[in-house]
Amino acid sequence: PIAELSSLMDKLARGQRLASLPAPASCDVVRVVRATASILDSVLPPAARLELVIGASPTVRMEPADLGQVLVHLIMNAAQALGTVPEAHPGVVTVEVRENAGTAEIVVSDTGPGIARDRLVRIFDACFTTREGAAGLGLSLVQQLVTQAGGTVHAESELGAGATLIVRLPQAHTDSVGLARR
């Protein structure tokens, strides 16, 4: 590994171009959402019900594993928020997939207690958490992965009315035979 790094540094010093990095894989958002929901269904707290609302079928230029990781963090955070709601109040986590002006939108919302404004502005900060024993890295990682894919993530909340996190990713365009192109 050090020899490879040294070789790369030598090439850069001589002005040689390095081989281009491969383009990230395209992934079918709905397929990843359904697979993630299927996996998480068995580990969600009993008070949490997961609902999928599929309004579009976009493809994005992001590794499927990265999108799955984003979804795991968003869904689990939403489900954990429901654990603070009285059992008489049914908790719902909704994952909605939609398109908007060339952008794929994945909206994860919950019927939990919501997030106070002073905490809402910090939820993507590394090591910020409101849960005892948590590392506070999940939403920071979500933001990093989404940004690397050219997208954005935004949070909205009202105390007593739950929270909503919106991921926006540029769609990968496909040609006539269905192959993703840059």
Side-chain angles (χ1 to χ4, degrees):
I2 292 177
E4 289 177 38
L5 182 58
S6 180
S7 173
L8 290 174
M9 295 303 291
D10 287 342
K11 288 179 181 180
L12 288 173
R14 290 191 307 254
Q16 291 180 351
R17 291 187 59 187
L18 299 177
S20 298
L21 293 174
S26 293
C27 73
D28 177 335
V29 173
V30 173
R31 179 181 233 170
V32 175
V33 165
R34 286 191 171 133
T36 305
S38 176
I39 291 166
L40 291 181
D41 198 37
S42 64
V43 297
L44 289 176
R49 188 176 81 234
L50 185 59
E51 290 183 354
L52 302 183
V53 178
I54 308 299
S57 186
T59 301
V60 297
R61 189 155 296 284
M62 184 176 196
E63 293 291 335
D66 289 348
L67 181 57
Q69 192 168 8
V70 164
L71 291 165
V72 165
H73 286 292
L74 294 178
I75 293 168
M76 290 306 294
N77 276 5
Q80 288 162 351
L82 297 176
T84 63
V85 176
E87 286 187 35
H89 178 35
V92 179
V93 175
T94 303
V95 180
E96 181 180 1
V97 178
R98 59 191 187 204
E99 293 177 357
N100 185 7
T103 303
E105 292 183 347
I106 304 165
V107 181
V108 178
S109 57
D110 65 67
T111 58
I115 305 167
R117 186 168 304 281
D118 63 322
R119 292 179 173 184
L120 189 63
V121 298
R122 299 189 56 212
I123 65 169
F124 296 108
D125 294 349
C127 300
F128 177 76
T129 185
T130 58
R131 285 192 351 255
E132 185 73 30
L137 297 175
L139 292 180
S140 176
L141 179 61
V142 164
Q143 185 176 49
Q144 179 183 356
L145 290 170
V146 169
T147 301
Q148 285 175 353
T152 61
V153 60
H154 171 76
E156 301 171 354
S157 183
E158 184 178 326
L159 282 177
T164 300
L165 282 93
I166 304 163
V167 173
R168 290 183 178 95
L169 294 164
Q171 290 191 49
H173 300 287
T174 56
D175 61 24
S176 60
V177 290
L179 300 174
R181 57 183 164 89
R182 294 183 106 172

